[in-house]
Amino acid sequence: MATARGGTGSEGLAVVLVRGRRENAQGGAGPGMKLGRAALGLLLLAPSVVQAVEPISLGLALAGVLTGYIYPRLYCLFAECCGQKRSLSREALQKDLDNKLFGQHLAKKIILNAVFGFINNPKPKKPLTLSLHGWTGTGKNFVSKIIAENIYEGGLNSDYVHLFVATLHFPHASNITLYKDQLQLWIRGNVSACARSIFIFDEMDKMHAGLIDAIKPFLDYYDLVDGVSYQKAIFIFLSNAGAERITDVALDFWRSGKQREDIKLKDIEHALSVSVFNNKNSGFWHSSLIDRNLIDYFVPFLPLEYKHLKMCIRVEMQSRGYETNEDIVSRVAEEMTFFPKDERVFSDKGCKTVFTKLDYYYDD
C-alpha cells in the first residue's frame, strides 16, 4: 500500500510533479521513492536513480513517459498498471465477503452492489464515496482490504491504493492549513497518474474537524477540477463515530426478539449520518461532505455476537493450516468480554483480538 508520508508539523512534505520528476514543496528531491519493476529495469541502464517522496511512486511518475514509448501491454508485463484487472467479478467479490466477513449483512449488500455497480459504470458522475462506521474489530479495515484486492492484483500493496491514518499523517491541529494543502496535492498527483485510484482514510473519528473538507471539490459532481477528472476514483472513510447509534438499533432488535438480519439500512442510515455530522469528536463534524450529500453510503457495521467470534476463530485456524478444534474455538470465544454488562450480547472488541488469543493454544 502506498501510504502518505506526512511529517509532524511544518516538516511534512507535499508531493508535486515538476517537469517529469518529483520534488517536495520545499524544492528538494525527497527520499524513499519506490520503483516500479518496469521503470527499474529501464533505470538500470541509466547512470543514476532518481529518488523522491511517497505517496506517488517513481513508477507512477514515469508511467506517462514510459507508456508513450513502450507498448502498454508490454509495460504491464513488468509492472502493475492502473486498472490492471480488466473487470471486477461480482461472484469473486461476493465470495470474499461471504467467506471472510461475519455478522454484517448490511455491509455485505451495500459493498457488493455499490462497488460492482461503480466499477462497471463507464461514465460515473462522481467518485464512489463510502463511509464505514462501527466499533473496533467489526470488519471495517477488512472490507477495505477486500475491495482493494478485488480491484487490483496487488491489493493493499498496490501503488494505486493509498492509506491515510489521521493520527499519523495529520497529528497537529495547528497545522491544518498545511495538511489541507498536502492532502490536495497528494490526491491530485495520484489521480492524475491513475484515475482508478483508491484512497482509504482511517481513524476519521480522530481527524481534526474541517480537514477532510479540503477534498470536497474532488468528491463533487464535476467533470474536471483544474483539468483532472476524479470521477473514477474511490474514497473510503473508516470511523468509530456513530457506533453507539448502531449498537442502539441492534440492541433494540435483540431485546425485541428480532433477528439482526431483519435490520434494514433505512433503520440506521439517516440516524447514523446525523449522529456523525453532529459528533464534535469526529472528523466529519459539520462537514460539507455530509451537508452536500457527497457520501454515497454510510455503511453500518453491527457489533458482533458470540457466534460471530467463533466464525472468526475457525477461519483463522484454517488460515494457519490447523484442523478446526471446536473446544479451542469455544474457549477462545469465552475469553472475550461482552456488553452490556448484564446482558453480555456483543463483543466489545469484535474479532480484533481473537487471533492473538488463539496463539496461546498453539504455542509451540
Side-chain angles (χ1 to χ4, degrees), residues 249-268:
V249 173
L251 198 55
D252 285 345
F253 269 70
W254 183 84
R255 287 171 174 165
S256 300
K258 299 177 183 177
Q259 297 295 318
R260 66 191 278 134
E261 288 75 20
D262 292 333
I263 300 174
K264 308 296 183 186
L265 183 60
K266 65 181 181 180
D267 297 324
I268 299 181

Side-chain angles (χ1 to χ4, degrees), residues 78-126:
F78 297 94
E80 182 185 44
C81 288
C82 176
Q84 192 165 22
K85 278 192 174 181
R86 297 192 177 279
S87 62
L88 174 70
S89 168
R90 183 183 180 92
E91 292 73 22
L93 177 57
Q94 181 158 15
K95 182 178 179 181
D96 278 348
L97 292 170
D98 288 341
N99 293 342
K100 301 175 182 178
L101 184 66
F102 306 113
Q104 305 299 351
H105 68 284
L106 291 175
K108 285 182 181 180
K109 182 176 180 180
I110 295 169
I111 297 300
L112 178 63
N113 292 333
V115 174
F116 181 77
F118 179 76
I119 294 295
N120 285 276
N121 182 356
K123 295 182 179 180
K125 300 293 185 182
K126 64 179 292 296

Side-chain angles (χ1 to χ4, degrees), residues 253-286:
F253 269 70
W254 183 84
R255 287 171 174 165
S256 300
K258 299 177 183 177
Q259 297 295 318
R260 66 191 278 134
E261 288 75 20
D262 292 333
I263 300 174
K264 308 296 183 186
L265 183 60
K266 65 181 181 180
D267 297 324
I268 299 181
E269 188 175 35
H270 177 69
L272 176 58
S273 65
V274 172
S275 173
V276 173
F277 183 77
N278 291 320
N279 187 337
K280 291 185 178 181
N281 296 318
S282 167
F284 280 128
W285 183 63
H286 287 187

Side-chain angles (χ1 to χ4, degrees), residues 6 36-37 76 88 105 158-159 161 167 169 180 183 219-220 236 238 249 253 259 263 298 311 315 330 340 342:
R37 282 178 292 173
C76 294
L88 174 70
H105 68 284
S158 169
D159 285 335
V161 178
T167 53
H169 297 114
K180 286 182 176 181
L183 192 54
L219 305 187
D220 216 328
I236 304 173
L238 313 180
V249 173
F253 269 70
Q259 297 295 318
I263 300 174
F298 287 90
M311 294 177 183
V315 168
S330 297
D342 294 332

Side-chain angles (χ1 to χ4, degrees), residues 34-46 49 57-82 84 159-160:
K34 294 189 298 182
L35 301 179
R37 282 178 292 173
L40 178 60
L42 291 178
L43 285 172
L44 289 175
L45 302 177
V49 176
S57 72
L58 178 58
L60 292 183
L62 292 176
V65 176
L66 292 176
T67 53
Y69 298 94
I70 301 176
Y71 191 64
R73 290 185 180 179
L74 177 60
Y75 175 82
C76 294
L77 290 176
F78 297 94
E80 182 185 44
C81 288
C82 176
Q84 192 165 22
D159 285 335
Y160 309 110

